[in-house]
């Protein structure tokens, strides 16, 4: 169906694609959760996720006190899907186990292998025997993993390389003969739709107008969607591996040196392809309207809510930008135009390896990257200038945030991204960790499980999945009660005649992050009790479960969990000192509230203190917390003396943060019919 909407002329490559299938929040299971159990072991171990800490399945299940998910083959309690994105450069696999009722799903295994199907063929565009053998070997390994995980369905999706190779049919036939698996070759437009579907599971864009860019090895997909529905998509024969071999040479014979002339040739090639598509004018008419005169003065990027980038290339670009930002202790190095190829020492800066840290030195000794999923066109241009100025592989490998596996293709990938953002007038881009393979998963589940429905709130759904997964001692019930007490406390504080000025720092966004910190504060108990606040920080930071959260938001939630007990946060040292200053006061305020509300349910009963309100002296501004006890199972009033003691331990810090003197008293329970007799909530001297 060729698109013809809002006056946009029909053009090959633009299609109207079906609205995405219902989707659900994707949540990795405990089997792949990046944490650790042994206090004596803190170094990253070998696993399918580089830089993460492996966790033995059986040991975690033993800690959780529950058996792992069973296969869906017999009783059909679960439906397990293995999705494989057979890209031009790499094969990406993910296995997801979904509730047969369509209520939830968890990731049980992930893998990525470099294959380079069209590598070394130049302009012949054929799949040679070597790459074919590599592809079959990887698929057999994936098949074995899928069998071990008792997958109900394996879905192989091939993209650009299989679409365009002259001997594609022969390649697909050989794959089927060797593995017994059928490969689904999808169009570029369908690829864009699936990427969009996957991105919606990780980034809250369902209610936004968004331009999506996915840069692969052989092609680049560009899609425009409105309110969760894709309207136009195009696939360009422009990928980082394809561009590299067209302009630089075969990657197999590459000596690591990229001359400025080759970089310029790459840029020219990207610009030529983009100009030939004509998509800029068509997107302008689609996004900015038709005939009202405003489209001539507005930039294309101003007509959409945001641009989203998918794929490993864009993720790596963002991570390198984050690692090289000045706030993390490094700046983009100055590049001399007259620098000779033999010069050394230009990049004399501390390396920023993108690896996780263990809990040693959590109070402030270790460095870590503060990733942000958004970057600007200015950031990108600086990065491209630095990467392009590195004439050797060794120089590129020394750049902060560089992944050695992308040390060559990052050049062409970054050049493509820079060309697209400049051409489409995009000021910034937000990165989605989900892309094609996740889109395949949700598309498959929606077709295979009747009633599979999307999560209405990606953030809250994933938050509750993580909290529930690590609810080893029924602490989540208590955490939920503390959340309710925090809401009562904020309402009462704001209702007073002179609300503390500090509360102006908390808007809806930060109140939600505070709620998240409360709900997750005890997840570290799965490791041990003594340092569970530190383990909670590590689990939250490295779980990959919190979907729809920006990295900075995850960092804030992790810090709230870290400081819910023991040491108070100090903006001048420790992990908090590395967070941008604009968040310091907010985090300290949220910690103060969290610690009081956790203390109000110190015994984790979720009922000892039924409610809390604040009484305020109008003249002195002194405040009294009134904790009303609940009833026990026998209908007797709870003894809350322990909770009162716990709160008093926090009041000095709480008072200093809010700028008021606070004390606490036990309030009287109101009998039925006495609600109207309670009088004014505020005391006057």
């Amino acid at each position: 169906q060729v698109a013809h909407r809002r006056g946009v002329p029909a053009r090959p490559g633009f299609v109207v694609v079906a609205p995405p299938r219902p989707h659900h929040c994707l949540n990795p299971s405990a089997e792949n959760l990046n944490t650790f159990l042994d206090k004596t072991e803190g170094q990253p171990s070998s696993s399918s996720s580089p830089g993460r800490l492996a966790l033995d399945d059986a040991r975690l299940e033993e800690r959780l006190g529950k058996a792992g998910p069973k296969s869906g083959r017999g009783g059909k309690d679960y439906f397990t899907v293995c999705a494989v994105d057979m890209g031009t450069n790499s094969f990406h696999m993910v296995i997801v186990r979904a509730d047969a009722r369509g209520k939830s799903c968890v990731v049980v295994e992930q893998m990525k292998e470099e294959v380079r199907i069209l590598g070394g063929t130049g302009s012949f565009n054929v799949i040679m025997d070597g790459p074919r053998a590599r592809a079959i070997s990887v698929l057999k390994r994936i098949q074995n993993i899928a069998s071990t995980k008792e997958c109900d369905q394996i879905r192989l999706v091939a993209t650009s390389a299989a679409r365009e190779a002259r001997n594609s049919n022969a390649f697909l036939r050989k794959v089927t003969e060797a593995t017994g698996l059928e490969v689904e070759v999808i169009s570029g437009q369908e690829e864009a739709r699936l990427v969009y579907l996957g991105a919606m599971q990780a980034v809250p864009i369902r209610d936004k107008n968004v331009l999506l860019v996915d840069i692969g090895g052989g092609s680049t997909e560009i899609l425009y969607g409105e309110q969760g529905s894709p309207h136009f998509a195009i696939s360009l024969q422009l990928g980082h591996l394809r561009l590299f071999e067209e302009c630089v040479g075969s990657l197999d014979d590459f000596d690591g040196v990229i001359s400025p002339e080759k970089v310029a040739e790459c840029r020219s090639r990207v610009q030529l392809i983009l100009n030939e598509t004509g998509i800029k004018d068509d997107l302008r008419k689609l996004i900015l309207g038709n005939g009202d005169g405003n489209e001539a003065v507005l930039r294309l990027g101003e007509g959409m809510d945001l641009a989203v980038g998918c794929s490993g290339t864009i993720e790596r670009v963002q991570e390198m930008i984050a690692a090289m930002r000045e706030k993390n202790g490094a700046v983009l190095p100055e590049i001399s135009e007259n620098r000779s190829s033999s010069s050394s020492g230009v990049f004399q800066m501390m390396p920023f390896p993108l690896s996780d840290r263990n809990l040693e030195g959590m109070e402030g000794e270790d460095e870590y990257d503060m990733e942000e999923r958004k970057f600007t066109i200015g950031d990108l241009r600086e990065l491209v200038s630095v990467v392009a100025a590195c004439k050797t592989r060794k120089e590129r490998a020394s750049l902060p945030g560089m992944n050695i596996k992308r040390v060559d293709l990052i050049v062409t990938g970054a050049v493509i991204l820079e060309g697209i953002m400049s051409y489409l007038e995009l000021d910034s881009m937000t990165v989605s960790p989900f892309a094609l393979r996740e889109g395949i998963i949700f598309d498959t589940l929606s077709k295979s499980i009747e009633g599979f429905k999307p999560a209405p709130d990606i953030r809250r759904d994933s938050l509750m999945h993580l909290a529930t997964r690590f609810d080893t001692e029924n602490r989540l019930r208590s955490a939920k009660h503390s959340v309710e007490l925090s809401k009562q406390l904020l309402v009462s504080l704001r209702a007073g005649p002179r609300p503390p000025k500090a509360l102006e720092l908390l808007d809806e966004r930060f109140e939600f992050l505070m709620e998240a910190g409360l709900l997750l504060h005890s997840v570290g108990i799965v490791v041990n009790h003594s340092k569970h606040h530190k383990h909670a920080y590590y689990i939250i930071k490295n779980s990959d479960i919190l979907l729809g959260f920006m990295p900075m938001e995850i960092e804030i939630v992790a810090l709230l969990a870290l400081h819910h007990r023991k040491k108070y946060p100090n903006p001048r040292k420790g992990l908090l000192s590395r967070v941008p200053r604009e968040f310091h006061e907010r985090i300290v305020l949220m910690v103060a509230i969290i610690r009081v509300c956790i203390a109000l349910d110190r015994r984790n009963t979720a009922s000892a203190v039924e409610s809390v309100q604040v009484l305020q002296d109008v003249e002195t501004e002194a405040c009294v917390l009134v904790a009303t006890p609940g009833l026990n199972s026998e209908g007797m009033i709870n003894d809350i003396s322990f909770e009162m003691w716990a709160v008093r331990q926090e009041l000095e810090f709480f008072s200093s943060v809010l700028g008021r003197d606070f004390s606490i008293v036990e309030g009287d329970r109101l009998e039925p019919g006495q609600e109207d007799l309670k009088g004014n909530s505020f005391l006057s001297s």
Side-chain angles (χ1 to χ4, degrees), residues 50 89 112-114 402-410:
N89 188 57
K112 175 185 175 182
E113 289 285 346
E114 186 178 87
M402 177 64 77
N403 184 324
I404 193 65
K405 292 184 177 180
R406 294 187 180 273
V407 72
D408 296 324
L409 295 179
I410 192 64

Side-chain angles (χ1 to χ4, degrees), residues 242-299:
R242 183 196 296 269
L243 182 64
F244 190 96
E245 299 210 337
E246 286 179 348
C247 298
V248 181
S250 172
L251 197 59
D252 294 330
D253 304 323
F254 181 52
D255 60 4
V257 178
I258 302 179
S259 67
E261 292 75 20
K262 292 296 184 182
V263 174
E265 185 179 346
C266 289
R267 279 196 168 107
S268 298
R269 178 67 177 164
V270 171
Q271 193 63 45
L272 176 64
I273 293 174
L274 291 173
N275 288 336
E276 286 183 344
T277 64
I279 63 174
K280 183 176 181 179
D281 291 338
D282 292 340
L283 282 174
R284 176 177 290 277
K285 292 179 181 178
L286 171 64
I287 297 173
L288 300 181
N290 186 31
D292 58 7
N294 292 328
E295 65 272 16
V297 295
L298 289 176
R299 300 174 71 250

Side-chain angles (χ1 to χ4, degrees), residues 33-35 52 355-357 359 362 366-373 466 520 523 533-546 550-562 575 579:
L33 194 61
N34 304 304
T35 181
R52 301 296 191 185
S355 60
D356 298 315
R357 302 301 201 274
L359 295 179
M362 182 163 286
D366 61 335
E367 297 270 355
Y368 72 107
D369 287 332
M370 191 67 65
E371 297 180 2
E372 293 182 355
R373 287 289 182 181
L466 180 57
L520 299 177
V523 295
H533 57 300
K534 294 185 177 182
H535 298 306
Y537 174 89
Y538 194 86
I539 289 173
I540 294 168
K541 277 281 291 182
N542 297 282
S543 69
D544 291 334
I545 290 180
L546 296 176
M550 294 297 102
M552 179 59 69
E553 293 177 327
I554 293 177
E555 176 68 26
I556 290 173
V557 174
L559 285 170
L560 296 179
L562 173 65
L575 297 178
V579 174

Side-chain angles (χ1 to χ4, degrees), residues 495-642:
R498 296 178 184 175
K501 190 173 181 61
L503 294 182
E504 297 175 4
L505 296 171
L506 295 185
D507 56 16
E508 185 177 350
R509 175 196 180 194
F510 287 100
E511 286 184 24
F512 178 72
L513 295 180
M514 184 171 69
E515 178 180 346
L518 272 168
L519 290 173
L520 299 177
H521 77 271
S522 63
V523 295
I525 291 176
V526 70
V527 182
N528 64 38
H529 278 263
S530 64
K531 296 181 179 180
H532 74 263
H533 57 300
K534 294 185 177 182
H535 298 306
Y537 174 89
Y538 194 86
I539 289 173
I540 294 168
K541 277 281 291 182
N542 297 282
S543 69
D544 291 334
I545 290 180
L546 296 176
L547 308 179
F549 288 81
M550 294 297 102
M552 179 59 69
E553 293 177 327
I554 293 177
E555 176 68 26
I556 290 173
V557 174
L559 285 170
L560 296 179
L562 173 65
H563 291 293
H564 85 271
R565 65 192 292 265
K566 299 293 184 179
K567 292 184 178 181
Y568 293 110
N570 187 340
R572 291 187 295 275
K573 63 181 182 179
L575 297 178
L576 180 56
S577 66
R578 286 147 188 158
V579 174
R581 290 183 180 179
E582 62 186 282
F583 298 113
H584 287 179
E585 289 186 69
R586 290 182 171 93
I587 292 173
V588 171
L589 174 59
M590 290 187 285
V591 167
I593 296 172
I594 283 174
R595 292 177 74 118
V596 166
C597 293
I598 291 175
L600 285 168
D601 197 47
R602 183 64 178 80
R603 289 173 293 165
N604 303 300
T605 63
S607 60
V609 174
E610 183 177 79
S611 63
V612 62
Q613 65 172 328
V614 180
L615 307 180
Q616 185 181 125
D617 188 300
V618 177
E619 294 183 3
T620 67
E621 295 188 344
C623 297
V624 178
L625 300 180
V626 180
T628 304
L631 300 177
N632 61 24
S633 58
E634 298 177 352
M636 303 294 291
I637 295 177
N638 287 320
D639 177 5
I640 62 170
S641 56
F642 189 51

Side-chain angles (χ1 to χ4, degrees), residues 338-350:
N338 299 320
R339 185 178 69 118
S340 65
S341 60
S342 62
S343 63
S344 60
V346 175
F347 302 99
Q348 298 299 316
M349 62 178 70
M350 183 177 294

